[in-house]
Amino acid sequence: MLNDVIPPRPLRAVKSQPGTAAFLPPLLLRLPGAGGAVVVLVATGVPGPLVVRMEDGRGASLAAFPAEADTPVAADLPAGTARIVVTGDGVQSGAVGLGYYPVRGQFPAGRLLLKLHAFRNGSFVTPEGGLKGLQSRWRQAEGAARHLGLSLIALSQTAQARLSLKRAQYQRFRDAFVEDFTEVPAPAAAPALVFLSAAGDGRSLEEIAACAQSLKAQTDRSFSWIIAASADRLAHEGNALAEAVGDTAQIVPAASAADDASLLKGALAASAAPDGGLICLLDLDGRPTRDAVALIRAAFAAHPDCQLLYTDEERCDASGTPLAGVFKPAFNRHLLEATPYMGALTVLRAGRSRALGIDPRFGAAAPYHLIVRTVAQVGAGAVRHLPRIAYSGPEHPPGFVEPETARLAAQALEGVLAVPVSVVPEAGTHFLRPDFPLPAVPPKVSIVIPTRDRAGLLGMALDSLIGKTAYRNFEIIIVDNGSVEPETFALFAEMKATWPDTTIVRDNGDFNYPRICNNGVAAATGALILFLNNDIEVIEAGWLDEMVALTSRPGVGIVGAKLLYPDRTIQHAGVMVGLFGYASHWFAHALPDTPGPEGRLLARQDVSAVTGACQLIRRDVWDAIGPLDAERFQEDCNDIDLCLRARRAGYEVVTTPYALLIHHESASRGKSRNKLHRERLKAQHERFDALWHARTLVDPHSNPNLDRKNLFAALADAPQGSRDARTDAI
C-alpha cells in the first residue's frame, strides 16, 4: 500500500455530530485559489466501508464519495470546503483518524514537503547515528517520496471521484471535435451503407424512434436501413413501428422467433447490398452521430482494401447527455479475444458477412461471433479503426455484462481458435481468456540475467525463479558484468550446484546493457530467450507457462509480463510509444487492480513494446530482427527498439496480466542521474526519435484524441494526431 512506508499527514479533528468524525482540510488547501485541488485521504481506526463528505461552513454537502478504511482514496476538494466529515458503521469522533497526502505539483513546495515528511516519518531502515546515517536516510526518503509522489498522481488521475471534472472536459472536447466532419463523399466514391437492426420484443418504440431521428439527420444520405421484427410484433404494433421510423427504414418480417440474433439474420438476408457493399449491425440502444455515414463512407473511399471498420463512441446517461468518450486502439487481436472492444458501430463488407452468416445459436454474442470470424479471414491489415466518435450509446461496463452472453461468446471464440476459452468475472462484467496450450514438447527457455555483484539481490531473484516457477525446461545464463565481491562468486558456485543448467558468462567491459544481453544470447541454447532483470521476484507459479504459451502462438514474437513495484503498484503493464516524446510505461504507479480504459489492463492485449526487465522472444524472431542495438542504445531505448523492429517485421508484441511478478526497479544499479548520465540518455533518446519519430508518433494502441503527456489515457484538449482510419502498423 502507498501508506506502508510513508504515513499520511494527520488532519486536525473538530467537533462533530454523533456517528460522524469531522476534520479541517489541509491548511495549504484552504488558502485562496486552492479550490478544486486534488487531495489523497486515508481514514484509519474503523474497519469497513465509509463515506467521506466535503461540507461548506454551513454544513451543506459539496461532494461525497465512498472509501475503505486504511485505503488511500483521491478526491477533489471543492472551493469553500470547511470540513471533511467521515461516516460509517462504528464511526465516532475520536475513534477515527483522517490523514492526507499532498499530490505533487498541487502547490510549489509540494515535492519538498513530501520529502521532508518522508524523512521525518518514513519507516524505511537507515544506518543509525552520525551524519552518514542522516545522509543515507535523506537519500532513502528522497527515493521513497519520489515513488509515492508518482503513485499519488496515478491515484488522483484514475479516481472515480474525478468523474465530474472529466465530464466537463469531455463536453468541451465534444463541442469542438464531435460531429465536426463536413465532407460528404460522392455517391460513386464509396459503396452505400446498409444498417441492419433487430426490433426485438424488448426494444421500445421510443428507442427505435430516437435512432430513426439520428439517421434522418445524417449529412450523407447514401444509406439504407433494414429493421427486422417478428411476425407477432408486426401483427400487434406494426403501424406504430412504421410510424416510429417513417420513411427512414424498411421493415421486414422475420420468423416468429423474437431473439435479436434471429432477427439480424433475417435483416441480413433481406439486404440487397452488393458483395463489396457495406453493412453495419446497428444496436438500437444508441444512435449514430449526424456525420457517422459520411465518416464511414469516406474511410472506405480512402481505403478500398478495408474489410472491417470500427469507430470511437461516447457513453451517455439515461437522459441522453454525453458523459465520456470511448477512445479505442487500432486493431488489437488479443484484446478482441477478451472483450468486444470494437463496440456498437462496426462496419463489414456485405458479401463476406453473407457468406459467414449470423448464427442465432450464439444469441446476444452472435455479432461478436461474426466479427471474430471476419477478422480470422481478413487479417490485421484489412481492419481499420476510425478515431472519431460516430455513435452515442448508454453507459455500460466493458466486456460481456451478462453471464450467458459471456458463455456464448466463449463458445463462439472456441470455434474460431480451436482452444478452450474461459470466462473471467471482473467487477460486474466478464472477460474471455483463451487457454492457449503449451507445445507438446515444451520448448527450452534460455533465461538471460545481466548482473554485477549485489549477491543478496540476485540470490532473491534466483531463489524465487527456481523455487516458485512451475515451468521447468529452462537454462539460466548469468552475464557477469565485472563483479568483484566474493559473495557474488560464492553465489555463482551455489547456483551451478542448485540448478546444473546454469552458465556464467563473463563480460568485463563498461556497462552496456544490450552488449551484455547479446553476449548472454550467444551462449543460449533454447528456442525461446527470456531477458530477466536481476531484481525480478517471482510470486506466482504459472507466469512462465503463460508467457511461453503466448509466444508459441503463430504471429506472436515478443511477450511481456505485468510487473508490480514492491508496494504492489503497477510498474509495467505495456509500453506506449510516443508518450512524453519517447515511450512510457502505461499506468505506471497506479493501483494493481486499476482496470484502465474499458478494462484493458485486466486482459491480454497487443502493445507496441514491453520492457526488457521481463521480455520473452522467440529465437527465430531474434535471428530475424536482432540483436539488441549496442551502438545506438547502450543504456536506454534498446528494449523498445527491439520490439518496434519486431512489429515492423510483422510480429505481435503482447502483454499479459496473467504473468505477474515484482520488480525491485533500479535496486541493482540505483537511479543515479549525474549530468554526464543525463546527457548520454538524451543523446540516445534523440537517436531513437530519428529512427522512430517518437515525438510525433501516435501509438496505434493508444488514440490520437488522448493526451500524449499523460500515462493514464486522459483526454486531450484537442486531437494530437491524425484522425484518419488506421491499421495497427507502426
Side-chain angles (χ1 to χ4, degrees):
M1 295 297 294
L2 302 182
N3 47 324
D4 283 347
V5 174
I6 304 175
R9 299 167 65 91
L11 293 176
R12 185 160 70 89
V14 295
K15 186 177 179 181
S16 63
Q17 298 293 324
T20 69
F23 305 85
L24 288 178
L27 175 62
L28 286 169
L29 299 185
R30 283 183 272 151
L31 297 176
V38 179
V39 62
V40 174
L41 302 172
V42 183
T44 57
V46 176
L50 303 168
V51 173
V52 178
R53 187 171 67 247
M54 310 296 189
E55 293 183 351
D56 64 15
R58 293 177 294 180
S61 178
L62 301 175
F65 52 90
E68 291 285 337
D70 300 312
T71 301
V73 60
D76 298 306
L77 193 71
T81 299
R83 302 194 317 163
I84 303 175
V85 179
V86 180
T87 61
D89 291 343
V91 170
Q92 292 291 335
S93 181
V96 173
L98 190 65
Y100 84 100
Y101 291 108
V103 176
R104 221 173 76 179
Q106 197 65 66
F107 40 85
R111 185 178 300 187
L112 177 59
L113 286 176
L114 201 56
K115 290 180 184 177
L116 290 171
H117 178 65
F119 179 73
R120 291 186 61 191
N121 301 287
S123 62
F124 35 75
V125 178
T126 60
E128 294 181 355
L131 185 61
K132 181 180 178 181
L134 292 175
Q135 288 177 331
S136 176
R137 184 175 180 85
W138 176 252
R139 284 195 298 271
Q140 288 186 294
E142 189 172 32
R146 177 184 178 276
H147 174 73
L148 176 60
L150 294 171
S151 297
L152 294 174
I153 292 172
L155 184 61
S156 67
Q157 289 278 324
T158 57
Q160 285 293 107
R162 305 212 74 203
L163 286 179
S164 60
L165 291 180
K166 293 180 180 179
R167 288 169 179 172
Q169 183 193 11
Y170 176 67
Q171 191 57 60
R172 292 192 298 271
F173 180 92
R174 191 185 197 284
D175 291 343
F177 303 110
V178 178
E179 298 185 317
D180 62 328
F181 189 74
T182 57
E183 300 175 35
V184 176
L193 177 63
V194 181
F195 290 108
L196 307 177
S197 297
D201 293 340
R203 190 68 62 192
S204 72
L205 291 174
E206 290 77 13
E207 289 174 309
I208 297 170
C211 196
Q213 288 301 316
S214 71
L215 289 177
K216 287 178 182 178
Q218 289 296 307
T219 56
D220 183 350
R221 304 296 298 174
S222 297
F223 72 91
S224 57
W225 186 21
I226 298 174
I227 299 177
S230 68
D232 289 345
R233 179 163 194 175
L234 291 177
H236 287 91
E237 53 180 0
N239 292 337
L241 182 60
E243 184 178 343
V245 301
D247 59 0
T248 309
Q250 172 192 356
I251 300 173
V252 298
S256 58
D259 65 281
D260 282 0
S262 297
L263 296 177
L264 285 174
K265 180 179 181 180
L268 179 60
S271 168
D275 285 351
L278 310 176
I279 67 158
C280 175
L281 306 183
L282 178 59
D283 191 335
L284 294 172
D285 271 348
R287 55 196 182 277
T289 59
R290 68 183 178 218
D291 53 1
V293 174
L295 284 167
I296 291 167
R297 293 188 62 250
F300 276 95
H303 306 286
D305 60 334
C306 181
Q307 297 293 310
L308 184 153
L309 178 88
Y310 60 99
T311 74
D312 290 344
E313 54 193 84
E314 66 184 3
R315 301 276 189 258
C316 303
D317 64 16
S319 68
T321 301
L323 300 174
V326 180
F327 299 104
K328 304 171 188 176
F331 176 60
N332 196 307
R333 176 169 67 142
H334 286 82
L335 186 63
L336 180 63
E337 292 168 357
T339 174
Y341 82 91
M342 290 184 178
L345 209 64
T346 303
V347 185
L348 308 99
R349 294 288 183 177
R352 188 179 305 276
S353 297
R354 276 194 290 264
L356 291 172
I358 293 173
D359 192 336
R361 292 178 301 167
F362 295 103
Y368 176 75
H369 183 226
L370 175 60
I371 288 169
V372 293
R373 285 181 295 152
T374 300
V375 167
Q377 284 193 358
V378 304
V383 178
R384 287 188 179 265
H385 164 241
L386 184 61
R388 286 177 176 267
I389 288 175
Y391 181 86
S392 297
E395 278 191 291
H396 61 80
F400 300 92
V401 179
E402 297 298 328
E404 177 63 8
T405 304
R407 184 190 69 79
L408 292 169
Q411 184 181 336
L413 190 59
E414 284 179 349
V416 175
L417 299 181
V419 300
V421 177
S422 301
V423 175
V424 182
E426 288 284 359
T429 188
H430 305 80
F431 290 87
L432 306 183
R433 180 182 177 181
D435 300 321
F436 297 112
L438 290 169
V441 179
K444 186 175 186 178
V445 179
S446 298
I447 303 178
V448 177
I449 306 175
T451 196
R452 179 175 181 174
D453 287 321
R454 300 298 300 275
L457 185 70
L458 177 62
M460 174 275 298
L462 294 172
D463 285 348
S464 68
L465 171 65
I466 294 170
K468 296 182 180 178
T469 301
Y471 193 93
R472 305 309 281 177
N473 189 17
F474 62 82
E475 64 176 346
I476 299 172
I477 299 172
I478 300 173
V479 189
D480 176 27
N481 181 220
S483 292
V484 296
E485 296 173 356
E487 295 86 354
T488 303
F489 300 110
L491 177 63
F492 292 165
E494 180 184 337
M495 275 305 305
K496 287 194 170 188
T498 303
W499 194 263
D501 201 356
T502 296
T503 302
I504 310 297
V505 176
R506 184 72 176 180
D507 181 319
N508 288 322
D510 293 337
F511 179 72
N512 180 309
Y513 178 82
R515 185 201 69 232
I516 295 167
C517 289
N518 291 342
N519 287 341
V521 174
T525 62
L528 300 175
I529 299 161
L530 175 68
F531 296 113
L532 195 70
N533 274 21
N534 66 348
D535 55 0
I536 294 289
E537 179 183 357
V538 175
I539 57 174
E540 295 181 347
W543 69 281
L544 192 51
D545 293 81
E546 165 74 1
M547 294 180 74
V548 170
L550 286 175
T551 314
S552 302
R553 189 182 183 195
V556 176
I558 297 177
V559 173
K562 183 174 183 178
L563 306 180
L564 303 180
Y565 286 109
D567 70 353
R568 299 311 199 258
T569 56
I570 294 172
Q571 192 270 335
H572 172 266
V575 173
M576 287 293 174
V577 181
L579 289 186
F580 298 96
Y582 166 48
S584 294
H585 291 198
W586 214 31
F587 283 83
H589 298 277
L591 294 176
D593 56 354
T594 300
E598 296 296 290
R600 285 176 60 180
L601 300 188
L602 305 176
R604 298 170 180 142
Q605 60 175 316
D606 293 272
V607 291
S608 292
V610 294
T611 178
C614 182
Q615 187 182 71
L616 184 65
I617 181 171
R618 295 198 337 241
R619 183 63 188 246
D620 62 309
V621 176
W622 173 268
D623 291 340
I625 69 163
L628 290 165
D629 192 332
E631 297 299 321
R632 293 185 180 95
F633 309 124
Q634 301 94 329
E635 297 162 282
D636 207 357
C637 311
N638 44 76
D639 51 351
I640 311 302
D641 171 70
L642 182 73
C643 290
L644 294 181
R645 283 188 278 135
R647 291 286 297 110
R648 186 173 60 190
Y651 299 103
E652 291 177 333
V653 177
V654 181
T655 183
T656 172
Y658 305 122
L660 187 67
L661 304 104
I662 301 296
H663 185 193
H664 300 261
E665 187 187 30
S666 300
S668 55
R669 292 183 180 264
K671 292 191 74 68
S672 171
R673 291 288 189 269
N674 58 39
K675 182 179 179 182
L676 183 60
H677 189 193
R678 290 194 298 270
E679 289 175 350
R680 290 200 308 268
L681 293 181
K682 181 180 178 182
Q684 289 170 58
H685 286 189
E686 288 175 349
R687 290 193 286 271
F688 183 86
D689 182 60
L691 278 176
W692 298 107
H693 311 291
R695 288 190 177 93
T696 56
L697 175 69
V698 174
D699 191 305
H701 299 301
S702 181
N703 188 293
N705 298 297
L706 300 180
D707 188 350
R708 296 176 70 249
K709 292 185 178 181
N710 185 287
L711 294 177
F712 310 105
L715 178 62
D717 291 332
Q720 298 185 345
S722 170
R723 291 193 288 166
D724 292 341
R726 59 190 187 142
T727 67
D728 67 337
I730 292 289

